Amino acid sequence: MDYPSLYLEKVINEFAKLPGVGRKTALRYAFYLLKEEKEYAHALSSSILQLKEEIKLCKHCFSISDTEECNVCKDEKRDHSLVCVVENIREIMAIENTNQYRGIYHVLGGVISPIDGISPKDIRINELLQRIEKEDIKEIILALPTTMNGDTTCFYINKLLKDKNVQVSILARGVAIGDNIEYVDEITLGRSITNRLPFEKIYSN
Amino acid sequence: MDYPSLYLEKVINEFAKLPGVGRKTALRYAFYLLKEEKEYAHALSSSILQLKEEIKLCKHCFSISDTEECNVCKDEKRDHSLVCVVENIREIMAIENTNQYRGIYHVLGGVISPIDGISPKDIRINELLQRIEKEDIKEIILALPTTMNGDTTCFYINKLLKDKNVQVSILARGVAIGDNIEYVDEITLGRSITNRLPFEKIYSN
């Protein structure tokens, strides 16, 4: 497609690099920018720069933060002996939104994936071991994706922590709330029967 | 939703103002920015600013342009006696992509819409009349949306140009290429029968 302006073409090229954005959507964004007041373009532009320039990784858990120490690690009311190990910051945000978790986190920054050439030393497993040495951690909850790579990473970490005095747990597997039983995949359904719970336990929260 | 960083929250707020972008998509864009090299954030940020700061409206046709005069108006090979009247720059881009049109344009910047309070003086109808006075224009093609507001605008312009020595045409209405006849709406189908063409004409291009 020919564009009437090089500036328009440039902004479309940049927008189209965003995930899920094609040239048509990028054009739509560009027209919106043209239509809106100058202030919006300035606000969007500077917020993009600030995100990249100002954001830090928490020195303890490697979550993103505006300060050296993230809000979760800073919070003395939280249980610092309970560490939830996640792949990314997204999972922290999802777990925080449940309002059910009062421990702290550790962000691996990925999972072991031989196909993509990601080995244990490429993700923050060493940093996790160091934290277990230094801090008074009693339990690790592995909240990694339930994929082959996620499972591999869980097994690897579990093996490493065998001799340490740390309890290793994983998230409960089972039927999701709102699931129609007939559509639940057989592995999940099988596990949810094997790991069935006393009735009172489900409704205790 | 709580965000671990104010900078993250700010960029999500700004992205979420773009058309069709919700907070989930905005979060996805933000994570993509965090993952990518710094250069990308800089390129995106500056292209947004430049779009707003540098882009001009062509002094003749009001299309967007990098210079005072747009590439179409500048082109002496084009037929300057034939002017296609469009609502927005989007339509110019669509028509240019057909490679079928060799005339020039006039961007109204909207159509008459009593409900939205857009009257003839709010769109560039006066500018069109001035062009007709000054330039040697023989034909006007109205390429406005086939909506009630678009039709109102067409009638209004046609009435204004009655006494001028200018031919007024509209885009042909009919069955679109690839349309299944049974699914074509009755008005379009009716018009395409009334305005039927000699067989040779359809295949002449």
Side-chain angles (χ1 to χ4, degrees):
Chain A
M1 189 181 249
D2 279 347
Y3 298 102
S5 152
L6 285 176
Y7 297 114
L8 181 67
E9 192 171 352
K10 210 168 137 193
V11 82
I12 288 172
N13 285 340
E14 298 302 335
F15 270 135
K17 287 178 190 159
L18 291 171
V21 178
R23 303 191 74 78
K24 284 242 165 179
T25 309
L27 184 63
R28 210 173 149 209
Y29 293 172
F31 278 123
Y32 180 79
L33 278 170
L34 282 173
K35 205 190 69 193
E36 286 298 298
E37 297 296 317
K38 223 176 229 180
E39 283 68 35
Y40 174 60
H42 280 272
L44 178 60
S45 165
S46 71
S47 69
I48 288 169
L49 273 189
Q50 279 185 338
L51 180 76
K52 206 61 196 177
E53 302 281 353
E54 304 288 345
I55 232 166
K56 295 173 184 68
L57 288 187
C58 169
K59 62 180 178 179
H60 305 299
C61 70
F62 305 96
S63 172
I64 56 172
S65 166
D66 296 341
T67 47
E68 287 255 294
E69 216 176 357
C70 75
N71 292 334
V72 173
C73 289
K74 237 185 273 181
D75 188 348
E76 287 183 6
K77 281 191 207 129
R78 295 187 78 124
D79 184 355
H80 281 63
S81 72
L82 181 63
V83 175
C84 181
V85 176
V86 293
E87 184 182 3
N88 272 312
I89 322 149
R90 280 166 226 246
E91 284 88 47
I92 296 189
M93 288 169 67
I95 295 172
E96 283 299 291
N97 271 318
T98 66
N99 282 322
Q100 303 270 319
Y101 182 64
R102 299 301 303 159
I104 55 172
Y105 295 94
H106 182 85
V107 181
L108 287 180
V111 286
I112 300 170
S113 171
I115 291 177
D116 303 313
I118 301 174
S119 73
K121 68 176 185 339
D122 297 318
I123 59 178
R124 299 193 194 95
I125 291 182
N126 264 333
E127 286 84 343
L128 178 64
L129 293 179
Q130 282 164 19
R131 286 184 74 179
I132 289 169
E133 295 292 331
K134 279 186 216 159
E135 300 171 30
D136 182 29
I137 296 171
K138 293 202 181 80
E139 186 178 349
I140 296 279
I141 304 172
L142 299 171
L144 297 176
T146 57
T147 57
M148 210 173 67
N149 291 335
D151 284 346
T152 308
T153 314
C154 284
F155 276 104
Y156 187 86
I157 293 176
N158 188 46
K159 211 179 143 194
L160 281 181
L161 298 183
K162 231 175 188 175
D163 314 324
K164 319 264 176 197
N165 194 18
V166 176
Q167 166 77 36
V168 180
S169 328
I170 59 163
L171 293 187
R173 270 81 163 121
V175 179
I177 314 299
D179 263 7
N180 207 324
I181 304 293
E182 61 175 317
Y183 300 129
V184 175
D185 70 285
E186 55 248 51
I187 300 175
T188 304
L189 195 55
R191 285 206 197 177
S192 73
I193 293 171
T194 315
N195 304 326
R196 64 191 176 279
L197 297 167
F199 187 79
E200 300 77 31
K201 210 148 186 190
I202 291 282
Y203 294 95
S204 62
N205 293 340
Chain B
M1 190 182 244
D2 278 347
Y3 297 102
S5 151
L6 284 176
Y7 297 113
L8 181 67
E9 193 171 353
K10 209 167 137 196
V11 81
I12 288 172
N13 285 340
E14 298 302 335
F15 270 133
K17 287 177 190 160
L18 291 171
V21 177
R23 303 192 74 78
K24 283 242 164 178
T25 309
L27 184 64
R28 209 171 150 211
Y29 294 172
F31 278 125
Y32 181 78
L33 278 170
L34 282 173
K35 205 190 71 191
E36 286 298 297
E37 296 297 318
K38 224 178 232 180
E39 283 69 34
Y40 175 59
H42 281 271
L44 178 61
S45 165
S46 70
S47 68
I48 289 170
L49 274 190
Q50 280 185 338
L51 179 76
K52 206 62 195 174
E53 303 280 354
E54 304 287 345
I55 233 165
K56 295 173 186 67
L57 288 188
C58 169
K59 61 179 176 178
H60 304 298
C61 70
F62 305 96
S63 171
I64 56 172
S65 167
D66 295 343
T67 47
E68 287 254 296
E69 214 176 358
C70 76
N71 292 335
V72 174
C73 290
K74 236 185 278 182
D75 189 348
E76 288 182 5
K77 281 190 207 129
R78 296 186 80 124
D79 184 354
H80 280 64
S81 71
L82 181 63
V83 175
C84 181
V85 176
V86 293
E87 183 181 5
N88 271 312
I89 321 150
R90 281 166 225 247
E91 284 88 48
I92 296 190
M93 289 170 67
I95 295 172
E96 283 300 289
N97 271 318
T98 66
N99 281 323
Q100 303 270 318
Y101 182 65
R102 299 302 300 159
I104 55 172
Y105 295 95
H106 183 84
V107 181
L108 288 182
V111 284
I112 299 170
S113 171
I115 291 178
D116 304 314
I118 301 173
S119 74
K121 67 174 188 338
D122 297 320
I123 60 178
R124 299 193 195 93
I125 290 183
N126 264 333
E127 287 84 344
L128 178 64
L129 293 178
Q130 282 165 19
R131 287 184 72 179
I132 289 169
E133 296 293 331
K134 280 188 215 158
E135 300 171 29
D136 182 29
I137 296 172
K138 294 202 182 79
E139 186 179 349
I140 296 280
I141 304 172
L142 299 172
L144 298 176
T146 57
T147 57
M148 212 173 65
N149 291 335
D151 284 346
T152 307
T153 314
C154 284
F155 276 103
Y156 186 87
I157 293 176
N158 188 45
K159 212 179 144 195
L160 280 181
L161 299 183
K162 232 177 188 172
D163 314 324
K164 319 266 176 193
N165 193 19
V166 175
Q167 165 77 36
V168 180
S169 329
I170 60 162
L171 292 187
R173 269 80 162 121
V175 179
I177 314 297
D179 263 6
N180 209 324
I181 303 293
E182 61 174 320
Y183 299 129
V184 176
D185 70 286
E186 56 247 53
I187 300 176
T188 305
L189 195 54
R191 286 208 196 175
S192 73
I193 294 171
T194 315
N195 304 326
R196 65 193 174 279
L197 295 168
F199 187 78
E200 299 77 30
K201 210 150 184 190
I202 291 283
Y203 293 98
S204 63
N205 293 342

